[in-house]
Amino acid sequence: MEVKVYRIEGFMRLRTGNWAKFSMDIPALKPEDAIERAFSNISGLHKIKRSHIRVKSITVINPHRSKNPLIKSLLELKAVE
């Protein structure tokens, strides 16, 4: 299987009661794995319950268009090989 980069966009309800927009790029084998990682990252960083996270869209993107510095550094390593 090939690892793809997924862009997950949605909203999260903050402790103040306001909804905030989020977008994250996550490498994963399947879209379900990427969504699970997004839930884990957001709930861990912001102490938000998973029920307060709404995923609006998930799309496969070109790794070169990613905003994630980890993905960019992995691309540089792969180019060196």
Side-chain angles (χ1 to χ4, degrees):
M1 293 190 90
E2 183 181 341
V3 175
K4 298 178 184 173
V5 178
Y6 295 94
R7 177 163 291 155
I8 300 174
E9 298 176 322
F11 297 92
M12 59 183 164
R13 186 173 182 191
L14 302 175
R15 290 182 177 197
T16 60
N18 297 330
W19 288 88
K21 198 175 193 181
F22 73 87
S23 174
M24 52 182 22
D25 300 338
I26 298 177
L29 294 174
K30 301 182 290 188
E32 297 84 15
D33 296 341
I35 291 173
E36 179 63 29
R37 170 87 55 88
F39 278 143
S40 177
N41 289 346
I42 293 170
S43 62
L45 285 173
H46 300 285
K47 305 297 184 223
I48 297 173
K49 294 181 180 180
R50 289 174 179 235
S51 61
H52 293 158
I53 301 170
R54 302 282 187 251
V55 174
K56 180 181 171 187
S57 67
I58 180 166
T59 55
V60 177
I61 63 167
N62 185 337
H64 296 284
R65 301 192 79 198
S66 176
K67 298 173 187 173
N68 187 337
L70 176 63
I71 295 171
K72 288 185 178 187
S73 65
L74 289 174
L75 285 173
E76 290 174 9
L77 289 174
K78 190 173 183 181
V80 172
E81 291 178 356

